[in-house]
Amino acid sequence: MGYHLNFNLIWRHFDKLWQGLVLSLELAVVSILIGAAIGLLLAVWYVSAGKVVRAAISAYVEFIRNVPLILLVYIVFYGIPTVVDFAYSPTASFIGTLSLYSGAYLVEVFRSGLEAVPRGQLDAGKAIGLTPWQRLLYVRLPTMTRITLPALSNTFISLFKDTSVASVIAVPELTYGAQWINFNTFRIVEVYIVTTIMYLVTGYGILFGLRQVERRFKVER
Amino acid sequence: MNANQQPLLKIDDLRKSFGQANILKGIDMAVNKGEAVAIIGPSGSGKTTLLRCVNFLETYEEGSIRIDGQEVGYRDGGNRQRRGETDLARMRAETGMVFQSFNLFPHLTAAENVMLGLTKVRRKPKQEAREIAEHWLKRVGLDHRIDNLPSELSGGQQQRVGIARAVAMEPKILLLDEITSALDPELVNEVLDVVRQLAEEGMTMLMVTHEIAFARDASHRIVFMDDGKVAAEGPPKELMAQAGSNQRLDAFLSRFRTSHLH
Ligand SMILES: Nc1ncnc2c1ncn2[C@@H]1O[C@H](COP(=O)(O)OP(=O)(O)O)[C@@H](O)[C@H]1O
Ligand SMILES: [Mg+2]
């Protein structure tokens, strides 16, 4: 083997990776916020709605869960602008896709969380005269949040990794930065070693932080 | 208990079924203001269902339940139109309920459990709600547990928070559903003492209980339910005396004579 590891070129272009990492995190954060809004809205709608709405929400969830993310990214970025005359940046398009994607997963998370709130608590809320909205806000959602926090954390970690798919439409996130360095320096091994470590360290950092948050919620209130 | 005053709670020919199963088969009952009425009866006779109907936690198909002359759950006028949610909430706030399984809000402290209804339903300012909550928590002997979460309280303490949460709303009537049956025996009395005191102070109460001695001592009247019907009723002494002529009542009471009654 005549291959000698040489990281010098990687360090010279490290800002590409660093900026990529920052963008990856931003994509994940924005997408999970929008996705959580979509998920929560649909979950609340689902548990209180009739058959038709439930079927429609289930169809959305099933569609997203059974189509590979990369295909969704292509559909949203190339497909939609072709059919309807409309254009958006790769980044905006990807955020839209990842939001819809995480939204579908979070509908399920929130729905089961809402249904896991014990009936007795809802009865108690009714008995003191809370209206349905107040019961949702002050009884169901707080308990649901505690129940779903671990699943939310896991979803966020997955989403962070999934941001790498954005490289296929040239969004300059971490994986795209790695590819760029690879094409320009041919240090394929070194760049992917560094990139992998960056994903790992960041992923574990997020996990650690979120577990602290979960613990605080569990014990204190 | 003025004879010509209209009862606070009036139930007429109440019927309720779950699917095919008829659970309540024509209940008539009246509770006057300031009266404490105990409901006893074998398990499965429909006691819980009856209380839940009074608070409209369960719908009912036939008959009527009136509190202060207002039909529970359905619009006045007899055409079985369900009240709107806001209207239902408003009416439910007039009836307090204490549950067998406590049903405290686990994410809120004792004080916050009591305050929720005061701030969100009664629209009291936080400060005032807090004072009311402290007042009632002290009344039930929880001075030192005001800012604890339910998970940090014993069953007896949790149930006393449950009582404080209900009475702080100043309901017209308090419904209690076997509130000591989930408690360890040594914690039962601390809860019953609170209820006994409320009864003495004139709180109108309808309480399902399996503590026969307590029903006898703390209530003005006992109703014996059997198989979805009122099978006997009367002041404690009279009811106990009916056991001789009422076989079902006699069978029910005999279970307690050996164990609970001294
Ligand atoms: N939500 C429900 N659905 C179907 N059956 C029910 C429901 N709630 C109560 N029942 C039935 O109604 C009967 C009376 O129950 P309940 O009112 O709890 O009796 P009690 O409180 O006197 O023990 C029981 O046979 C019970 O199985
Ligand atoms: Mg019962």
Side-chain angles (χ1 to χ4, degrees):
Chain A
M1 286 283 293
Y3 195 91
H4 295 286
L5 289 179
N6 179 354
F7 286 93
N8 284 341
L9 283 168
I10 310 298
W11 304 139
R12 189 176 304 161
H13 296 293
F14 188 69
D15 60 323
K16 281 262 187 286
L17 296 182
W18 180 251
Q19 285 161 10
L21 177 65
V22 171
L23 183 59
S24 289
L25 276 169
E26 286 170 352
L27 293 173
V29 169
V30 174
S31 300
I32 200 159
L33 288 179
I34 302 174
I38 295 173
L40 190 57
L41 215 72
L42 292 184
V44 168
W45 200 12
Y46 185 97
V47 296
S48 57
K51 277 199 187 113
V52 181
V53 171
R54 284 181 174 217
I57 293 173
S58 297
Y60 158 65
V61 171
E62 286 305 309
F63 176 78
I64 298 279
R65 296 226 285 193
N66 289 294
V67 175
L69 175 59
I70 192 165
L71 211 59
L72 294 173
V73 170
Y74 285 140
I75 292 170
V76 174
F77 186 59
Y78 297 114
I80 293 178
T82 309
V83 178
V84 293
D85 192 21
F86 184 69
Y88 33 30
S89 72
T91 303
S93 150
F94 184 75
I95 287 176
T97 312
L98 202 59
S99 299
L100 288 172
Y101 179 76
S102 62
Y105 283 87
L106 292 177
V107 174
E108 287 298 286
V109 169
F110 288 138
R111 187 188 56 76
S112 57
L114 284 174
E115 283 168 357
V117 176
R119 186 175 97 148
Q121 278 185 46
L122 299 175
D123 284 345
K126 281 184 189 174
I128 58 171
L130 297 178
T131 63
W133 277 113
Q134 290 176 325
R135 295 198 294 269
L136 178 68
L137 212 58
Y138 304 120
V139 180
R140 266 190 138 167
L141 289 183
T143 301
M144 181 212 74
T145 308
R146 273 161 197 78
I147 295 171
T148 56
L149 223 46
L152 268 176
S153 303
N154 295 342
T155 306
F156 183 70
I157 306 268
S158 302
L159 274 196
F160 170 63
K161 288 186 294 177
D162 289 338
T163 54
S164 65
V165 174
S167 59
V168 301
I169 52 172
V171 175
E173 46 67 60
L174 181 50
T175 298
Y176 186 82
Q179 283 169 357
W180 186 93
I181 296 175
N182 180 30
F183 289 144
N184 287 281
T185 67
F186 302 106
R187 306 311 301 185
I188 182 165
V189 177
E190 292 86 338
V191 75
Y192 284 118
I193 287 175
V194 172
T195 306
T196 303
I197 292 172
M198 289 172 79
Y199 273 115
L200 280 175
V201 169
T202 312
Y204 273 109
I206 297 170
L207 188 67
F208 181 78
L210 291 177
R211 291 288 179 258
Q212 301 302 309
V213 175
E214 284 168 28
R215 192 168 322 150
R216 166 150 300 177
F217 265 85
K218 259 241 159 62
V219 179
E220 278 174 18
R221 11 155 89 243
Chain B
M1 277 155 283
N2 191 335
N4 53 24
Q5 141 201 342
Q6 102 165 339
L8 180 67
L9 169 68
K10 185 132 173 31
I11 302 174
D12 290 301
D13 197 27
L14 177 67
R15 286 159 201 275
K16 160 83 188 166
S17 48
F18 288 112
Q20 296 295 323
N22 297 321
I23 305 300
L24 301 180
K25 305 173 179 175
I27 304 268
D28 296 300
M29 195 179 286
V31 180
N32 294 309
K33 195 162 185 300
E35 198 180 20
V37 175
I39 302 177
I40 59 173
S43 155
S45 56
K47 306 180 298 295
T48 296
T49 306
L50 173 66
L51 283 199
R52 291 175 62 83
C53 284
V54 172
N55 214 357
F56 211 61
L57 294 179
E58 300 288 353
T59 58
Y60 54 95
E61 290 87 38
E62 282 174 66
S64 91
I65 304 176
R66 283 165 187 282
I67 294 175
D68 253 355
Q70 274 202 306
E71 183 83 23
V72 170
Y74 303 103
R75 300 223 170 102
D76 298 301
N79 51 359
R80 273 298 121 109
Q81 243 197 320
R82 194 185 156 104
R83 289 180 187 271
E85 288 294 339
T86 330
D87 208 15
L88 284 178
R90 179 187 59 76
M91 284 200 72
R92 285 197 187 109
E94 303 302 322
T95 53
M97 186 146 190
V98 184
F99 301 86
Q100 189 170 355
S101 49
F102 323 144
N103 295 348
L104 296 184
F105 306 122
H107 59 289
L108 301 179
T109 63
E112 290 166 342
N113 262 277
V114 182
M115 288 165 67
L116 187 62
L118 294 171
T119 52
K120 304 304 173 194
V121 179
R122 295 281 185 245
R123 308 240 170 243
K124 298 206 186 282
K126 216 169 188 150
Q127 184 59 35
E128 190 188 342
R130 169 87 194 181
E131 279 161 19
I132 297 172
E134 284 179 2
H135 166 79
W136 280 107
L137 287 170
K138 280 177 191 158
R139 274 291 315 273
V140 300
L142 292 175
D143 324 38
H144 55 302
R145 288 282 181 268
I146 286 173
D147 294 311
N148 283 85
L149 288 171
S151 57
E152 300 161 345
L153 302 177
S154 73
Q157 291 171 334
Q158 287 189 50
Q159 192 57 296
R160 284 183 280 151
V161 175
I163 295 172
R165 176 174 69 181
V167 292
M169 297 290 287
E170 298 182 7
K172 290 177 178 166
I173 183 169
L174 191 59
L175 309 170
L176 307 125
D177 188 12
E178 297 212 24
I179 63 169
T180 57
S181 65
L183 295 178
D184 294 333
E186 71 272 19
L187 301 177
V188 166
N189 276 329
E190 66 187 47
V191 172
L192 292 186
D193 285 343
V194 170
V195 177
R196 199 173 281 124
Q197 240 180 41
L198 288 170
E200 277 165 17
E201 286 164 19
M203 170 70 80
T204 311
M205 294 196 283
L206 185 57
M207 48 188 178
V208 173
T209 181
H210 64 297
E211 302 282 339
I212 302 295
F214 171 73
R216 190 189 53 192
D217 300 340
S219 71
H220 299 104
R221 202 144 49 83
I222 299 180
V223 173
F224 171 61
M225 270 181 73
D226 188 33
D227 191 27
K229 288 184 288 244
V230 173
E233 75 174 298
K237 280 209 179 74
E238 281 177 34
L239 185 98
M240 300 296 171
Q242 285 180 41
S245 56
N246 186 327
Q247 206 192 327
R248 296 285 300 178
L249 177 60
D250 188 47
F252 178 74
L253 288 177
S254 67
R255 266 186 280 147
F256 296 93
R257 277 191 197 108
T258 44
S259 55
H260 291 239
L261 281 184
H262 322 286

